[in-house]
């Protein structure tokens, strides 16, 4: 398996935590020395391991924000 590099350039917030200590986080992450992207994924304590997640470019994050702003979350999760 090919190795990859990552750097958490900015920790933005914790979305949830599990009993095992893993946390679902929103961060800015640079993958393989590329420009940092908005990233949502689960991380082990001390960021020692990670799960699969979603990385969004600036453009994708802007579209997601527009979509979320138009949603009524109370109705959606009712």
């Amino acid at each position: 398996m090919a190795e990859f590099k990552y750097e958490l350039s900015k920790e933005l917030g914790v979305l949830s935590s599990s009993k095992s200590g893993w946390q679902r986080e929103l961060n800015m992450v640079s993958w393989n020395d590329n420009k940092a992207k908005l990233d949502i994924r689960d991380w082990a304590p001390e960021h020692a391991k990670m799960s699969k997640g979603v990385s969004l470019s600036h453009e994708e994050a802007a579209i997601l924000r527009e979509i979320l702003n138009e949603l009524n979350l109370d109705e959606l999760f009712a």
Side-chain angles (χ1 to χ4, degrees):
M1 179 184 278
E3 291 198 32
F4 63 96
K5 293 172 30 178
Y6 68 92
E7 177 186 351
L8 274 80
S9 57
K10 190 168 193 176
E11 296 180 31
L12 300 172
V14 175
L15 303 175
S16 63
S17 299
S18 70
K19 292 178 183 177
S20 66
W22 284 63
Q23 297 185 131
R24 182 158 300 148
E25 299 180 13
L26 178 65
N27 298 309
M28 292 298 293
V29 180
S30 171
W31 300 99
N32 295 319
D33 297 320
N34 289 308
K35 188 173 180 179
K37 293 185 174 188
L38 190 64
D39 187 84
I40 303 171
R41 73 183 62 243
D42 293 344
W43 291 90
E46 309 299 322
H47 296 117
K49 294 182 182 179
M50 71 188 86
S51 70
K52 292 182 180 179
V54 175
S55 292
L56 302 170
S57 67
H58 181 278
E59 295 80 14
E60 293 167 329
I63 292 167
L64 177 60
R65 179 171 54 186
E66 286 181 26
I67 292 169
L68 289 173
N69 283 339
E70 293 175 6
L71 292 176
N72 181 326
L73 295 179
D74 291 333
E75 287 181 10
L76 189 63
F77 286 97

